[in-house]
Amino acid sequence: MEKSVATLDEGTTCTSWNYCGQRLATGSFNGFLSIFDSPDPASSSFTATSKIRIHEGGIVKIVWIPPEYGDAVACICNDGSLSLWEEIAEDGQPLQWKLCETFHSKGSTVLEAQFGVIRTSLKMVVAYSDGHAKVYELLDPFELKNWQLQAEIQNVIDSVSTFGKASCFSASISWNPQLNESQEPSFVLGFNSDTPQLNSSKVWVFDQAHHRWIPVAELALPLDKSDQVFAVAWAPNIGRAYELIAVATHKGITIWHVRLNPDLDGRLSLEKAALLSGYEGEVWQMEWDMSGMTLATSGTDGMVRLWQSNLNGAWLEQAAFEPTS
Amino acid sequence: MPDVAADSSASASGGALVPFVPDTEIAVVYPLHHGLKPPITRVSISWARGNNLRVSLLRNPPYNSDSDGEIGGKVVEVNLDSGAADVREPVQWRRIAYGSVTPFALLQSRKNSASSLSKLQSSPSPFHLDWWEHVMEYSKDIKELLGNPKSNYDPLIEDPKEVLKKGEEPTSLKAAWELMEMFYADKLCQSWLPERLVDWLADYDCLLSGDQPTVHSKLVEFQGTLVTLQVIEDDPKYWEVISSALAIGWLEIVVKLLRLHGSYQLDQLGHRETENGLVETVAVLISMMPRFRPELKNGKLGECFEAKPDFMKAWEKWREQITKLDSSAFWVPCHHRQTREGLKNLIQIMLGNTKILCTATAHWIELYISHFLFIRPFTAGLEGMYNLAQKCVQMKPMSSPHKLLRLIIGIIGENTEVVLAECSRGFGPWMVAHAIELLTARSDQADILLHKEHDDIGGISMEELHRLVYAQVLTSHFLTWQIAPVYLTSCMKQGMSLLEFLLYRQPAQHNQLLLKNLEICRLYELDHVSSNIMKIAGVYHWKHGRKGLGVFWLQQARDEFLLNKIARHLFDSVGKSISSESFKQWEGLIELLGSESKPAGSLEFLHKYRDFKKSLQQACDKKTLDAARHAADSLMSLMKNPSTPQRFWLPLLYDSLTLLTWPGRPLLNVSQTNLLLNKLQELSMASMRPGFVATDLPAEALNSVRLALATNLGRAILEEQ
């Protein structure tokens, strides 16, 4: 049933597959970035083809840049920096991984970064430990070093709310994985912090007319608003009239139906479709399959679980996998 | 998940979406073997193609760089379904997957033309009337893929003691398909369904022997002992298997076994004449059994009657003969007790003695079949069949019924949802996606049910859902993803978007795959997807040092935005002294860029600049006046052209110093030189303004050009005088 596709070096701390599942990037506790490739697309055996040290400390997270912009990864390191590395062959030189850009922020660390392709531009949302998120835009598709700060946002639905200095432990971002270019770009952002207002997941949509990002929906019931968010995942939509977004908190995984046609107030209509329980502890990761029908999750209990909705719209755990040696 | 589909105890179907799992059911937990030394500190997941889930299992990083010599983690891939139950060999499965594409696509296209035809005609189309025939043609093609028909009990002439023919094990997939076909699609067999079931059981009884014996398994066992038996008729097993075989209508085997009776042996015929006469009479009666069916396959025993009155008459007569034999006086002189009792037992079976039939059969389905043959040959209508099945199940209850039996109950219980669920659970997504065509062949009710849109799952119908699920299975493997589009495009609502996601996720850097991808896009008119794929390929090649290929794909994608960006990158080389090798590459790129796309004026300039560069090089190499004049003309045409960006004026002139100071005679006349001097003046003025982009030429460049121009002006004036 299961087969091994790659063996990872000692000290590997994170892994990430590219868009087509043909390249694997791994990061290690001592700052090495390794890239795994397979000899041909039919093979499912991956071996390391390059390994470079990109940082003195450890790599915490790796995210691939969308393929329209080449083979590049964003690495978040344990000192809170974010750096972009690209595989490129510059004039007359062999193919190699090169540093394009490093993002530092005074007094805060990078917790999470995710990319979204919108029409002809690449956008990157970076969430910081102070509760802020920045949206960057790539200026030249061939130059991954030229980023422009498009917006700086605070994850609150009401811009007048005030609170003290926030301290966030983790952040979760998921772009709307749309292929349809008629929709405005949107993403969902949630925090795991000591500041209740920041925590709940909010859907952010780019308002083309005013050229700004606005929070249009808060994915939490009134009593759950301060719940710390561990993970968010926006499902691919292959024809539903509504979007599916999964949000994990300590209460479980909530599946939200979000209709993207805003009402008169500009808010989206929301429906809490299910609360999936079964986890003891924290959800680490949630991933929707290509059809947006199956949600895979992993968490502190070490289990991998698969969730699906039946024809009556009831979400059920369909299977679980327990790692055993 | 191959094991899941095959394991009947695993009720959650893993990857496949089964609509009728009760809410209370607890998900099955599967072990995920990784072979790592515990503890595992992190598990991360990622979907690979289709229903493959990749799980990265990471161990704790070593503290203080103290290595324990273990590997740091593993990535394992879990396949969440197998496509079709019973088909364990990947090659065999692919043969079925590929083979079913054409019949499926043909049926869909017939369906489409039928529906457009019926839209045109207000009255029901005559096409509709024989739709089931198209479905039967489709079903026949599919059946051929699932294996050749084989009867397990064909007697072999060569070996009189071989009662069961050994052959390829039939698959339950085919057994299930045949059930669906006979009940839902085949209109012709509706009047003799019970007899069709008799044939079906003859072919597939061997599949039912699991934890419980079947008539087939009893026969196999007896076959093994047959050669060692001296006096066969003394063995109670002999009579037992004969009555079992008779009960489910395997008449050829019964007759063959009866003729192994010792009384047939030449040396015994003399003193066992009456006994032999009785055995033979029973054998003849069995082989004359009237059957309520249009035909029998070659070598099968019984007499066929298609019309009910004819059959009734024959049946009554046959029963009369049996009763007569039962009460005949010939039994008295038959001294062999086992023979007498065994034959009497067979007579009771033929007379429809329920108790004896029940003893002779093992599974409820066998008892069910025996009812059709000997008690209720006229059972008609699904309701009657269902009631009878209920009765048989009660008489022979089973703890874990075989998936084929569950399917039969669903079918005769007329519950389409249960049938779908059983198909999906027992036989996998391939079966459901294809058998839906059979289900809807003649039933409007099933048609409505399968096409009803379900709002709770995003507004798609069950038919579409099952096709999507199957398409996902196809995309799970590198060798079958190419046929997924056939199924996806048959889904009106959500198939096309899933196809777009699928195509987008194919690796664009492999040329073969890219071409295949583009071919699919072309076939289904997905231009926006193909341009995106070509864009990915273009950027990939450009950034990986294959600039020409990059430009080619970007042009194919008609991505003016990126091509313009490339043109601007090429600008950066203007005025720089580039080696002849990279000039060639640069020149080639401009050539490529120019062939189709014409972004603004920038390319026009690049083309002119390339011509100028070429002629300048020739002038320097050949040192002839003609070549130099040609280069000077190119320079003038560039400098006069409004599309030449101002920032390149100085680099161009600095490049042309050789021309401006051409030995022998000046190449530019007075007015030309004046024009260039004016341009220089203009440039000096522009440099005062904000936003002026300074070139990275040496500081003395401007002065050298100015001096060269002044010298040239002087020489030109002198020459013109």
Side-chain angles (χ1 to χ4, degrees):
Chain A
M1 183 159 71
E2 70 271 358
K3 60 179 174 189
S4 171
V5 294
T7 303
L8 308 175
D9 285 346
E10 191 178 16
T12 303
T13 48
C14 54
T15 59
S16 173
W17 289 93
N18 76 343
Y19 75 107
C20 57
Q22 287 296 311
R23 300 198 95 178
L24 170 70
T26 67
S28 76
F29 77 111
N30 51 3
F32 278 98
L33 169 70
S34 303
I35 304 295
F36 289 69
D37 288 293
S38 71
D40 65 272
S43 159
S44 56
S45 168
F46 294 81
T47 47
T49 49
S50 53
K51 187 175 180 177
I52 47 161
R53 189 157 199 191
I54 63 160
H55 197 258
E56 291 297 311
I59 302 173
V60 181
K61 179 164 182 144
I62 299 176
V63 184
W64 283 89
I65 283 178
E68 290 87 341
Y69 297 87
D71 274 24
V73 289
C75 300
I76 300 173
C77 295
N78 61 1
D79 66 345
S81 66
L82 169 73
S83 53
L84 298 183
W85 292 80
E86 182 179 29
E87 187 184 51
I88 193 163
E90 279 172 337
D91 294 326
Q93 288 180 19
L95 199 62
Q96 54 185 308
W97 284 85
K98 287 200 161 167
L99 177 67
C100 305
E101 181 66 315
T102 309
F103 294 81
H104 283 290
S105 180
K106 267 190 190 161
S108 64
T109 57
V110 174
L111 297 175
E112 166 75 320
Q114 288 293 337
F115 297 91
V117 181
I118 290 98
R119 296 180 192 106
T120 51
S121 82
L122 175 66
K123 289 188 182 358
M124 171 172 68
V125 187
V126 184
Y128 294 87
S129 59
D130 60 1
H132 281 82
K134 289 178 184 169
V135 186
Y136 293 91
E137 190 172 356
L138 185 68
L139 293 175
D140 181 341
F142 290 106
E143 298 282 349
L144 289 178
K145 57 176 182 277
N146 293 341
W147 293 86
Q148 189 180 47
L149 180 64
Q150 193 188 40
E152 186 166 352
I153 57 175
Q154 204 157 27
N155 198 34
V156 285
I157 203 91
D158 176 8
S159 56
V160 294
S161 51
T162 52
F163 42 86
K165 195 174 179 299
S167 172
C168 306
F169 319 111
S170 70
S172 316
I173 304 165
S174 183
W175 281 88
N176 176 359
Q178 52 170 334
L179 287 181
N180 173 3
E181 295 195 339
S182 61
Q183 281 178 18
E184 290 303 336
S186 47
F187 62 86
V188 57
L189 168 66
F191 277 99
N192 171 5
S193 77
D194 63 357
T195 309
Q197 295 94 319
L198 287 175
N199 284 340
S200 65
S201 307
K202 282 101 185 170
V203 177
W204 291 83
V205 175
F206 190 65
D207 174 10
Q208 201 74 49
H210 302 95
H211 212 72
R212 62 184 184 139
W213 286 90
I214 45 171
V216 289
E218 184 172 14
L219 304 181
L221 296 179
L223 282 175
D224 306 333
K225 285 192 177 177
S226 57
D227 290 350
Q228 293 164 333
V229 171
F230 301 140
V232 292
W234 194 312
N237 187 350
I238 56 169
R240 275 177 270 105
Y242 51 86
E243 299 293 327
L244 270 184
I245 302 174
V247 177
T249 65
H250 71 276
K251 287 177 182 149
I253 299 163
T254 316
I255 307 278
W256 291 89
H257 287 186
V258 182
R259 286 181 192 270
L260 278 181
N261 307 321
D263 58 19
L264 291 174
D265 304 335
R267 295 277 147 88
L268 309 184
S269 78
L270 286 178
E271 189 195 333
K272 183 178 168 181
L275 176 67
L276 316 175
S277 51
Y279 267 108
E280 296 286 325
E282 202 176 306
V283 172
W284 277 331
Q285 205 188 349
M286 298 194 289
E287 292 279 318
W288 288 99
D289 78 333
M290 199 168 57
S291 65
M293 291 189 202
T294 310
L295 178 69
T297 60
S298 76
T300 42
D301 62 355
M303 301 278 281
V304 175
R305 295 168 199 273
L306 298 175
W307 311 83
Q308 280 180 338
S309 150
N310 67 12
L311 287 182
N312 306 321
W315 283 83
L316 302 165
E317 185 179 343
Q318 292 284 350
F321 297 91
E322 185 174 23
T324 47
S325 46
Chain B
M1 136 178 18
D3 289 343
V4 180
D7 181 4
S8 56
S9 65
S11 45
S13 71
L17 203 148
V18 182
F20 296 96
V21 181
D23 289 8
T24 50
E25 196 134 8
I26 295 163
V28 183
V29 178
Y30 301 94
L32 194 62
H33 299 282
H34 51 71
L36 293 170
K37 193 175 154 190
I40 302 297
T41 52
R42 186 104 198 161
V43 178
S44 96
I45 45 180
S46 174
W47 288 97
R49 43 173 108 249
N51 287 329
N52 291 321
L53 186 68
R54 286 184 183 150
V55 184
S56 304
L57 302 136
L58 305 177
R59 293 179 67 235
N60 232 351
Y63 289 104
N64 309 322
S65 305
D66 284 340
S67 164
D68 61 358
E70 290 283 328
I71 52 172
K74 261 203 177 152
V75 185
V76 292
E77 190 172 276
V78 189
N79 181 243
L80 298 178
D81 50 42
S82 67
D86 283 6
V87 187
R88 297 279 171 148
E89 285 295 312
V91 180
Q92 173 75 353
W93 150 239
R94 284 200 292 278
R95 198 181 63 82
I96 294 175
Y98 269 90
S100 37
V101 171
T102 314
F104 179 83
L106 179 67
L107 193 71
Q108 297 312 312
S109 90
R110 281 181 171 163
K111 201 183 275 181
N112 292 342
S113 46
S115 77
S116 51
L117 201 70
S118 64
K119 268 180 205 152
L120 287 176
Q121 299 168 334
S122 51
S123 59
S125 108
F127 193 91
H128 182 73
L129 294 178
D130 52 10
W131 175 246
W132 69 272
E133 285 178 293
H134 292 298
V135 178
M136 280 305 287
E137 201 179 308
Y138 157 81
S139 178
K140 199 176 135 237
D141 292 343
I142 299 277
K143 251 191 337 192
E144 268 172 28
L145 293 168
L146 303 178
N148 293 319
K150 176 191 79 80
S151 284
N152 283 302
Y153 65 105
D154 273 352
L156 280 188
I157 301 161
E158 294 80 13
D159 183 358
K161 290 210 166 181
E162 187 177 60
V163 282
L164 274 174
K165 185 182 166 189
K166 286 193 196 79
E168 194 192 336
E169 180 93 344
T171 61
S172 60
L173 198 59
K174 190 172 183 208
W177 187 270
E178 285 205 359
L179 278 178
M180 302 285 283
E181 183 198 81
M182 77 173 87
F183 280 100
Y184 294 115
D186 194 352
K187 203 177 173 183
L188 293 179
C189 80
Q190 293 313 300
S191 55
W192 53 287
L193 264 177
E195 279 276 354
R196 277 289 282 123
L197 270 177
V198 174
D199 291 353
W200 180 85
L201 189 73
D203 285 338
Y204 302 108
D205 193 47
C206 55
L207 293 172
L208 306 176
S209 353
D211 39 1
Q212 243 177 307
T214 55
V215 173
H216 180 267
S217 69
K218 277 196 219 167
L219 272 166
V220 171
E221 199 186 324
F222 182 69
Q223 167 92 62
T225 58
L226 199 57
V227 278
T228 57
L229 286 178
Q230 289 296 322
V231 187
I232 195 167
E233 61 273 22
D234 285 353
D235 189 350
K237 271 261 175 237
Y238 170 70
W239 295 104
E240 201 184 308
V241 294
I242 290 182
S243 38
S244 292
L246 178 64
I248 58 168
W250 296 2
L251 307 185
E252 305 74 41
I253 290 182
V254 177
V255 171
K256 188 167 183 176
L257 281 170
L258 279 177
R259 291 189 175 147
L260 293 177
H261 193 274
S263 64
Y264 282 93
Q265 284 172 21
L266 288 174
D267 56 339
Q268 300 194 21
L269 253 179
H271 61 275
R272 296 175 75 177
E273 205 173 342
T274 319
E275 192 183 339
N276 182 255
L278 284 168
V279 175
E280 183 57 21
T281 314
V282 171
V284 169
L285 276 173
I286 287 171
S287 56
M288 280 165 54
M289 180 179 171
R291 311 284 294 262
F292 187 32
R293 55 189 292 158
E295 58 187 5
L296 271 167
K297 276 188 223 158
N298 270 350
K300 303 282 175 212
L301 298 177
E303 284 177 21
C304 300
F305 297 90
E306 209 172 344
K308 198 172 171 181
D310 297 344
F311 172 78
M312 288 254 286
K313 220 184 275 172
W315 173 261
E316 290 304 327
K317 198 176 151 204
W318 183 67
R319 293 281 277 247
E320 255 170 46
Q321 286 170 329
I322 297 167
T323 325
K324 216 154 108 191
L325 175 67
D326 193 26
S327 53
S328 123
F330 288 109
W331 296 104
V332 184
C334 175
H335 300 300
H336 195 263
R337 185 182 55 82
Q338 288 94 331
T339 303
R340 202 172 55 237
E341 284 173 6
L343 290 178
K344 283 272 190 182
N345 210 37
L346 295 185
I347 283 173
Q348 284 307 305
I349 286 176
M350 287 190 279
L351 289 174
N353 184 324
T354 317
K355 207 176 139 205
I356 293 183
L357 282 176
C358 198
T359 327
T361 51
H363 269 256
W364 72 260
I365 184 83
E366 291 169 351
L367 180 63
Y368 187 53
I369 293 299
S370 72
H371 270 76
F372 289 145
L373 284 165
F374 302 105
I375 302 176
R376 292 163 62 174
F378 303 119
T379 309
L382 287 176
E383 202 184 334
M385 288 176 82
Y386 184 70
N387 292 338
L388 180 59
Q390 292 285 55
K391 198 177 132 194
C392 294
V393 172
Q394 274 168 15
M395 287 164 84
K396 284 194 178 291
M398 294 177 75
S399 52
S400 55
H402 191 274
K403 55 189 176 182
L404 281 168
L405 301 183
R406 291 200 307 264
L407 180 63
I408 291 180
I409 290 285
I411 292 174
I412 56 181
E414 293 181 89
N415 192 334
T416 315
E417 284 156 316
V418 170
V419 172
L420 272 180
E422 290 297 350
C423 273
S424 162
R425 180 168 139 186
F427 307 96
W430 175 89
M431 179 72 184
V432 201
H434 291 87
I436 278 177
E437 302 301 336
L438 302 178
L439 260 173
T440 52
R442 296 187 301 115
S443 159
D444 288 341
Q445 181 247 337
D447 198 63
I448 292 166
L449 180 86
L450 283 161
H451 292 107
K452 186 186 155 213
E453 292 177 357
H454 293 261
D455 290 337
D456 287 325
I457 50 165
I460 58 170
S461 65
M462 269 208 258
E463 179 186 75
E464 242 191 83
L465 176 68
H466 286 297
R467 282 182 191 164
L468 293 182
V469 169
Y470 176 58
Q472 286 254 79
V473 172
L474 289 174
T475 58
S476 305
H477 198 277
F478 178 72
L479 294 171
T480 49
W481 77 269
Q482 299 94 323
I483 51 178
V486 175
Y487 295 89
L488 289 173
T489 49
S490 72
C491 301
M492 296 302 287
K493 282 196 86 128
Q494 305 200 347
M496 289 311 273
S497 296
L498 188 56
L499 178 59
E500 287 180 22
F501 274 109
L502 170 67
L503 293 170
Y504 177 79
R505 293 213 185 170
Q506 296 304 318
Q509 60 270 40
H510 297 278
N511 232 18
Q512 286 293 331
L513 258 179
L514 178 67
L515 294 176
K516 179 78 210 167
N517 235 352
L518 294 175
E519 170 72 20
I520 295 172
C521 290
R522 197 186 53 76
L523 207 63
Y524 299 109
E525 295 171 0
L526 294 167
D527 293 345
H528 60 291
V529 182
S530 66
S531 60
N532 199 32
I533 293 168
M534 291 190 283
K535 178 182 164 180
I536 293 173
V539 172
Y540 175 84
H541 289 300
W542 174 267
K543 290 201 170 189
H544 284 73
R546 292 176 293 275
K547 300 205 161 169
L549 200 53
V551 170
F552 169 78
W553 283 118
L554 290 175
Q555 272 177 345
Q556 295 295 309
R558 297 181 191 277
D559 196 319
E560 301 289 310
F561 178 74
L562 285 184
L563 286 170
N564 233 334
K565 288 281 178 196
I566 286 185
R568 274 174 210 284
H569 276 272
L570 293 178
F571 269 28
D572 295 347
S573 316
V574 172
K576 286 180 188 160
S577 56
I578 40 180
S579 66
S580 60
E581 189 55 35
S582 50
F583 178 74
K584 256 187 201 155
Q585 196 197 20
W586 186 85
E587 193 191 352
L589 285 176
I590 291 174
E591 194 68 49
L592 257 177
L593 278 172
S595 61
E596 245 182 66
S597 113
K598 295 256 177 290
S602 50
L603 263 181
E604 189 193 340
F605 160 71
L606 277 177
H607 273 111
K608 282 206 157 88
Y609 179 70
R610 181 199 54 189
D611 294 343
F612 159 71
K613 262 301 216 195
K614 252 177 160 170
S615 54
L616 184 66
Q617 206 137 20
Q618 276 180 348
C620 294
D621 294 347
K622 291 185 186 166
K623 307 226 182 284
T624 61
L625 189 61
D626 276 352
R629 266 191 199 288
H630 184 66
D633 287 346
S634 288
L635 173 69
M636 285 317 293
S637 116
L638 257 178
M639 293 301 285
K640 277 185 199 164
N641 196 314
S643 73
T644 305
Q646 196 185 44
R647 63 189 166 114
F648 294 132
W649 290 354
L650 188 58
L652 280 171
L653 291 171
Y654 188 62
D655 254 8
S656 319
L657 275 180
T658 342
L659 299 177
L660 300 180
T661 54
W662 192 258
R665 53 174 304 185
L667 298 174
L668 305 172
N669 61 28
V670 177
S671 63
Q672 284 172 325
T673 322
N674 273 333
L675 185 132
L676 295 183
L677 277 167
N678 283 341
K679 291 265 181 195
L680 266 195
Q681 186 62 25
E682 213 178 301
L683 200 62
S684 308
M685 301 284 283
S687 66
M688 310 285 181
R689 286 196 288 268
F692 176 77
V693 185
T695 52
D696 47 2
L697 288 175
E700 71 281 2
L702 183 65
N703 283 335
S704 339
V705 172
R706 221 176 241 148
L707 185 63
L709 280 176
T711 317
N712 193 76
L713 184 65
R715 288 164 72 197
I717 292 172
L718 281 177
E719 185 156 291
E720 279 175 29
Q721 274 177 349

